[in-house]
């Protein structure tokens, strides 16, 4: 296993960046991550309107993975997520779903204790650790770390947690992988515009799959297989994810498109990742046992 500290971060995923680390395919990397504010909020005395907004949403990286080629995929297994013991969240004017009714910024600071986030003496919230920003260099122009897309990025997906495996379409040699913006707790939608933002460590295993061509990120866990799609609206993101899932099923199983759609209508779940970033993100999750039953092959 290799360890990577957070000295070198990227603020936009880009094929033009120089890697901060090169690893062979199959390497496990323990990666130090700053919170989405670049660790600039230490306590209630720090105001959000005084921080350096050019230093928000850092992702640690990029990491060059040997064997990752344009047109192929990068497999990322999430092995572990660890937090330092504190977190913070925010909302503000014109931010999130309710920002139209707010003035200025509001922040809260939390302790993490025994697997729970302490909201106050009455409300302790079990952690659902997740990685908000995770992805590879996109095709074309750089994409800032606040925006999700086909390359991954700021997907803010609660399913991106320990035990999950992601597959990204590779658009630059070596993939140029990065991650950051971990959340100790977040609800689907991320309605305030932030989760419980927490610095920590993510341990991932990075494997190049040269012969797997993808349009959008794929996610897999013990029970489910799904597509993650981002677009201007939740409707458009869901539409995109469902179309890709049908096409994958027709390609990889002996099933017609109408049958695939009818089957997905019975067992597929459209789930909101986030509705507050410049592009909105949805995941479309399908039980693996159903896919196995129609002979869908994926095992990688
Ligand atoms: Ca985020
Ligand atoms: Zn975040």
């Amino acid at each position: 296993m290799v360890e990577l500290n957070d000295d070198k971060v990227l603020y936009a995923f880009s094929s033009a960046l120089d890697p901060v680390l090169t690893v062979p395919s199959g390497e496990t990397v323990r990666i130090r991550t700053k919170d989405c504010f670049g660790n600039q909020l230490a306590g209630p005395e720090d105001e959000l309107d005084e921080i350096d907004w050019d230093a928000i949403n850092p992702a640690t990286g990029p990491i060059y993975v040997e064997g990752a080629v344009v047109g192929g995929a990068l497999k990322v297994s999430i092995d572990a997520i660890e937090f330092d013991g504190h977190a913070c969240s925010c909302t503000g004017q014109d931010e999130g779903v309710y920002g139209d009714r707010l003035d200025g910024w509001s922040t809260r600071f939390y302790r993490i204790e025994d697997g729970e986030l302490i909201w106050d003496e009455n409300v302790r919230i079990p952690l659902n650790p997740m990685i908000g920003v995770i992805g590879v260099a996109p095709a074309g122009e750089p994409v800032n770390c606040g925006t999700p897309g086909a390359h991954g990025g700021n997907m803010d997906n609660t399913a991106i947690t320990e035990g999950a495996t992601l597959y990204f379409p590779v658009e630059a040699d070596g993939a140029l992988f990065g991650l950051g913006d971990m959340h100790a707790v977040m609800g689907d939608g991320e309605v305030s515009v932030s989760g419980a933002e927490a610095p920590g460590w993510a341990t991932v295993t990075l494997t190049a799959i040269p012969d797997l061509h993808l349009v959008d990120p794929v996610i897999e866990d013990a029970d489910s297989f799904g597509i993650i799609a981002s677009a201007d609206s939740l409707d458009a993101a869901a539409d995109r994810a469902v179309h890709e899932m049908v096409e994958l099923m027709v390609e990889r199983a002996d099933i017609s498109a109408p049958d695939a759609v009818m089957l997905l209508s019975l067992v597929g779940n459209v789930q909101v990742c986030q509705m507050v970033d410049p592009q909105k993100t949805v995941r479309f999750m399908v039980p693996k046992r159903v896919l196995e039953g129609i002979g869908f092959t994926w095992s990688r």
Side-chain angles (χ1 to χ4, degrees), residues 36 57 132 154 156 181-183 190 194-195 197:
C36 74
N57 280 319
N154 194 15
D156 286 320
D181 181 34
M182 299 208 299
H183 300 161
E190 202 188 18
S194 91
E197 309 292 335

